[in-house]
Amino acid sequence: MTYGSAIMFVVAGVLGIVGTAMLLRLRSPSVTEQQTYAFRMIGIMLTSGAIVLAMSAAAMWQWSTE
């Protein structure tokens, strides 16, 4: 695994963890309407960013081994 793809996998993991944590925070009954909107928007964006970055890292890793 190249150094660049390893960094991309780590960043994708961090984005995924933070995004999932924000989406799970929506289950709390004390979340206001504004927080619900912000947590949904940011959580979905971070989670989808993690998925796309992980796919890019996997492709870069595959290309570097060919």
Side-chain angles (χ1 to χ4, degrees):
M1 178 180 298
T2 64
Y3 185 68
S5 60
I7 290 174
M8 289 173 69
F9 277 122
V10 170
V11 172
V14 171
L15 290 176
I17 290 170
V18 174
T20 303
M22 292 192 81
L23 291 173
L24 289 175
R25 178 94 196 277
L26 291 171
R27 299 181 74 179
S28 173
S30 63
V31 177
T32 65
E33 188 175 331
Q34 292 86 4
Q35 288 175 329
T36 300
Y37 177 77
F39 289 167
R40 278 184 188 159
M41 183 67 70
I42 297 168
I44 289 171
M45 291 177 77
L46 288 175
T47 306
S48 61
I51 292 168
V52 170
L53 187 60
M55 290 188 318
S56 296
M60 189 168 92
W61 180 23
Q62 181 183 5
W63 295 334
S64 69
T65 59
E66 291 180 357

